[in-house]
Amino acid sequence: MKPLLALNWKLQKGPAEAFSWCRTLLEQLPDELPADVAVMAAAVSLDRVGNALRGSGVQWGAQDVSKHAKGAFTGETAAGWLNELDCTYVVIGHSERREYHFETDAIAGEKTAVAIRAGVKPILCVGEKLDVREAGNAESYTLTQLETALSWLTPEVLNTEFKGSLEWLTIAYEPIWAIGTGKTATPDDAENMGNAMRYWFVQRYGETANNLRLLYGGSVKPDNIKALCSRSNVDGALVGGASLELDSVVKMLEALK
Ligand code: 13P
């Protein structure tokens, strides 16, 4: 499976900057990409990002979505509109949404289902705080997050909406203590969690769970991405700070060659 390099810009680039950044990126990319690349932009930037990237092979997506498909929900963005803007992905349940917008695993699960039904691939984020890791409970905490969020993903849903394949879903393990702190999980930490999540999925959904991408996120940079992504069950990275500068994105792609 080709790794996925997902660039989570957070609240850092508006429409004009996003458009010119994407155009310049395309000039600097090698002909053969060693990874799938996706730009996760603010909702208001997605139209411009799509115009800049359409036809290039670089994908784009949103950073959040409403759990409602439609209705009187001021300020929300519907998954169907993300599909209309040709978004491949949407990040769901990011720790910043959980912390500042009180999102729970159950809400993340509802959003994941809404995205799938609209034909947009969710990147569902999970991961523990430092005290949970220090208490030795990182795995059980993270697997419980998956269990709660994906409780709607029954075998029947897998066979109908997912057409039997978990390729539709991506999970990003982002330990909260490693986000924006410069403290990266070690490659062993990332691999151990990747292995635990893969085992959890295979137990529930069988061999199709081997098609599911498991990303790592948290202080990923050009100088550590190779060590992380060369581990088993680390199928790419969700990158925040190091996704903002073109130079560092090009360097991360070089490291993934
Ligand atoms: P940093 O790469 O800045 O630590 O952010 C990680 C993240 O939150 C990606 O979604």
Side-chain angles (χ1 to χ4, degrees):
M1 169 181 346
K2 223 179 186 185
L4 171 64
L5 181 63
L7 311 177
N8 181 7
W9 281 349
K10 308 189 180 185
L11 189 64
Q12 304 282 14
K13 291 187 198 295
E17 188 187 355
F19 180 84
S20 59
W21 193 99
C22 288
R23 280 292 164 91
T24 317
L25 174 73
L26 296 185
E27 287 162 16
Q28 299 195 9
L29 284 183
D31 289 339
E32 283 213 11
L33 286 176
D36 289 336
V37 180
V39 174
M40 317 307 298
V44 291
S45 301
L46 286 170
D47 196 27
R48 305 287 303 272
V49 165
N51 288 340
L53 296 176
R54 197 166 277 108
S56 69
V58 176
Q59 300 167 316
W60 58 95
Q63 300 172 8
D64 184 34
V65 68
S66 177
K67 67 177 185 172
H68 304 286
K70 199 169 181 163
F73 301 104
T74 302
E76 298 276 84
T77 303
W81 302 338
L82 299 183
N83 179 300
E84 202 175 313
L85 291 175
D86 298 324
C87 289
T88 304
Y89 296 104
V90 55
V91 175
I92 289 176
H94 192 279
S95 61
E96 288 148 15
R97 301 288 321 166
R98 294 171 187 262
E99 181 166 357
Y100 306 125
H101 302 273
F102 313 109
E103 289 195 9
T104 59
D105 292 318
I107 292 173
E110 282 184 83
K111 291 184 171 190
T112 303
V114 160
I116 292 278
R117 288 183 188 128
V120 181
K121 295 179 175 179
I123 300 178
L124 173 65
C125 301
V126 291
E128 79 287 351
K129 290 190 174 159
L130 189 59
D131 58 333
V132 174
R133 174 154 288 266
E134 284 176 346
N137 297 327
E139 271 184 26
S140 61
Y141 180 88
T142 303
L143 297 179
T144 302
Q145 286 188 304
L146 284 182
E147 180 113 45
T148 311
L150 298 180
S151 57
W152 56 275
L153 210 180
T154 59
E156 193 198 348
V157 170
L158 180 70
N159 288 328
T160 52
E161 294 176 33
F162 283 71
K163 298 173 186 66
S165 172
L166 277 175
E167 266 171 339
W168 269 91
L169 188 63
T170 298
I171 305 295
Y173 168 57
E174 297 208 315
I176 294 168
W177 47 270
I179 295 179
T181 58
K183 273 189 209 162
T184 322
T186 64
D188 280 346
D189 292 336
E191 179 172 345
N192 290 340
M193 191 61 80
N195 290 343
M197 293 196 295
R198 182 79 67 196
Y199 182 76
W200 185 90
F201 272 100
V202 171
Q203 291 292 101
R204 274 165 184 72
Y205 305 107
E207 288 306 309
T208 184
N210 289 316
N211 299 322
L212 172 92
R213 266 196 182 125
L214 300 171
L215 310 183
Y216 168 77
S219 298
V220 175
K221 302 184 272 295
D223 62 7
N224 62 21
I225 192 165
K226 186 172 178 187
L228 290 159
C229 292
S230 56
R231 294 306 188 92
S232 67
N233 293 319
V234 183
D235 310 318
L238 182 57
V239 185
S243 74
L244 298 174
E245 301 298 330
L246 274 166
D247 182 50
S248 96
V249 172
V250 170
K251 282 194 183 131
M252 285 190 282
L253 284 168
E254 273 166 13
L256 288 173
K257 261 187 204 157

